């Protein structure tokens, strides 16, 4: 995701992920402990608008040039921050999809199983991103995929993985993200655009909005506006329209 947003491949030492770190301890340990938000823009031809000739476009420029915007919300993945950060973010009523990112270099652990149980309890389509495939052999990757499938089966999650191998798979499965038994999976190396990373980019350019997620719409009808606060953090102007970015808080729950 960060490689797509910034347009810069990783250097094999975690360079790309530094773009999401907000605190010194995150840089030192290599793990996120806070919530962050980035956007990815596509124009009418399906090309990314996040890149410029010399300098990276500003948020305003990306929005102005885009006909489609994808919002990414990065959540803390460590066990110490799971309840405080990840749980609260996943409770967001307006998410359309969940991306479960897992390293092929690390074994599947009890914490992996806990995350799987939790995200599959949420009524949202899930996409798996298996990363760091450049650090292991083909045999090791095959074993990891088999172990992942076995874990999903053992946890009785009612899914089977479908590895996206080409653009034909994207055209076939992207319109059917509401299929309950399919778990779309991308095999990605952040060191090269070839293969999974480009396929994931192409997939994002055509993925539809989750039309079955009506929870947010229903929730909106129930909001008591007199008890809500909207903290405007940024204003983006696109042609004659103004887009405001901020945080909605329910004063009843603020402590």
């Amino acid at each position: 995701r960060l490689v797509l947003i910034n347009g810069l491949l990783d250097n094999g030492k975690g360079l790309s992920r530094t773009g999401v770190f907000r605190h010194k301890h995150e840089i030192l340990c290599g793990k996120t402990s806070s919530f962050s938000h980035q956007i990815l823009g596509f124009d009418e031809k399906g090309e990314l608008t996040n890149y410029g000739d010399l300098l990276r476009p500003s948020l305003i420029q990306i929005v102005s040039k885009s006909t489609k915007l994808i919002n990414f919300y990065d959540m803390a993945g460590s066990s110490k921050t799971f309840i405080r950060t990840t749980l609260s973010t996943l409770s967001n009523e307006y998410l359309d999809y969940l991306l479960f990112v897992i390293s092929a270099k690390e074994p599947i652990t009890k914490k992996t199983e806990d995350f799987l149980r939790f995200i599959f309890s949420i009524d949202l389509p899930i996409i798996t991103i298996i990363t760091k495939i450049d650090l292991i052999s083909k045999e090791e990757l095959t074993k990891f995929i088999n172990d992942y499938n076995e874990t999903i089966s053992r946890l009785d999650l009612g899914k089977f993985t479908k590895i996206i191998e080409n653009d034909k798979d994207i055209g076939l499965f992207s319109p059917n993200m509401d299929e309950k038994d399919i778990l779309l999976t991308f095999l990605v190396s952040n060191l090269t655009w070839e293969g999974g990373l480009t396929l994931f980019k192409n997939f994002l350019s055509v993925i539809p909005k989750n039309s079955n997620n009506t929870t947010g719409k229903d929730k909106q009808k129930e909001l008591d506006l007199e008890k809500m606060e909207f903290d405007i953090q940024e204003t983006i102007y696109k042609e004659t329209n103004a887009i405001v970015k901020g945080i909605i808080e329910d004063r009843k729950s603020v402590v």
Side-chain angles (χ1 to χ4, degrees):
R1 171 181 55 81
L2 290 175
V3 172
L4 290 176
I5 290 170
N6 297 320
L8 298 175
L9 292 170
D10 192 48
N11 63 351
K13 298 181 181 180
L15 175 65
S16 62
R17 68 186 179 189
T18 59
V20 77
F21 291 155
R22 301 173 62 185
H23 305 289
K24 182 178 179 180
H25 70 270
E26 294 178 325
I27 298 175
L28 294 176
C29 71
K31 296 180 179 180
T32 54
S33 62
S34 58
F35 169 85
S36 66
H37 169 230
Q38 294 88 29
I39 66 169
L40 190 67
F42 292 92
D43 62 21
E44 65 278 358
K45 297 180 180 179
E47 299 296 329
L48 290 172
T49 60
N50 286 56
Y51 318 141
D53 295 332
L54 296 176
L55 300 176
R56 180 185 174 187
S58 66
L59 182 61
I60 295 176
Q61 291 171 324
I62 293 173
V63 172
S64 299
K65 294 189 298 182
S66 301
T67 57
K68 178 178 184 178
L69 289 173
I70 294 181
N71 292 273
F72 287 103
Y73 300 95
D74 186 78
M75 294 160 280
S78 66
S79 57
K80 292 183 179 179
T81 56
F82 175 74
I83 296 298
R84 183 178 61 205
T85 303
T86 304
L87 185 61
S88 62
T89 307
L90 284 179
S91 298
N92 189 313
E93 300 285 358
Y94 301 96
L95 298 178
D96 288 305
Y97 302 96
L98 295 178
L99 296 180
F100 183 59
V101 183
I102 184 171
S103 169
K105 194 174 182 296
E106 304 296 331
I108 295 175
T109 63
K110 175 63 166 56
K111 187 175 75 171
T112 309
E113 295 181 2
D114 290 341
F115 269 94
L116 284 171
R117 287 191 183 95
F118 179 74
I119 64 176
F120 275 93
S121 69
I122 302 174
D123 190 21
L124 286 175
I126 299 169
I127 304 164
T128 298
I129 310 293
I130 299 178
T131 65
K132 301 183 180 180
I133 63 173
D134 53 282
L135 298 179
I136 60 176
S137 66
K138 292 183 178 180
E139 292 75 17
E140 290 172 321
L141 178 59
T142 299
K143 181 180 183 304
F144 180 87
I145 295 173
N146 290 336
D147 290 344
Y148 186 55
N149 285 329
E150 189 277 330
T151 300
I152 292 174
S153 176
R154 176 165 48 80
L155 296 178
D156 195 24
L157 299 178
K159 296 278 187 176
F160 70 90
T161 60
K162 167 56 185 175
I163 306 296
I164 299 299
E165 300 178 345
N166 49 51
D167 287 322
K168 182 178 179 180
D169 285 344
I170 293 175
L172 181 62
F173 291 100
S174 60
N176 304 307
M177 286 297 298
D178 57 343
E179 291 290 339
K180 300 300 182 182
D181 55 349
I182 299 176
L183 179 58
L184 298 190
T185 303
F186 291 82
L187 307 179
V188 172
S189 167
N190 287 323
L191 300 183
T192 175
W193 288 102
E194 297 178 2
L197 195 56
T198 295
L199 286 175
F200 185 51
K201 185 265 291 185
N202 294 344
F203 173 77
L204 291 175
S205 70
V206 298
I207 188 174
K209 185 174 178 61
N210 181 13
S211 59
N212 291 330
N213 183 18
T214 58
T215 308
K217 298 177 182 179
D218 295 338
K219 185 72 175 179
Q220 182 67 32
K221 297 178 182 178
E222 301 171 3
L223 291 177
D224 184 353
L225 297 181
E226 293 183 356
K227 299 178 180 179
M228 303 299 292
E229 288 185 351
F230 181 58
D231 180 17
I232 299 177
Q233 299 178 321
E234 187 173 0
T235 303
I236 304 169
Y237 295 96
K238 183 174 182 180
E239 297 177 353
T240 59
N241 299 317
I243 303 172
V244 292
K245 173 184 175 183
I247 299 175
I248 296 178
E249 291 185 351
D250 186 345
R251 290 203 294 268
K252 295 183 296 181
S253 61
V254 175
V255 296

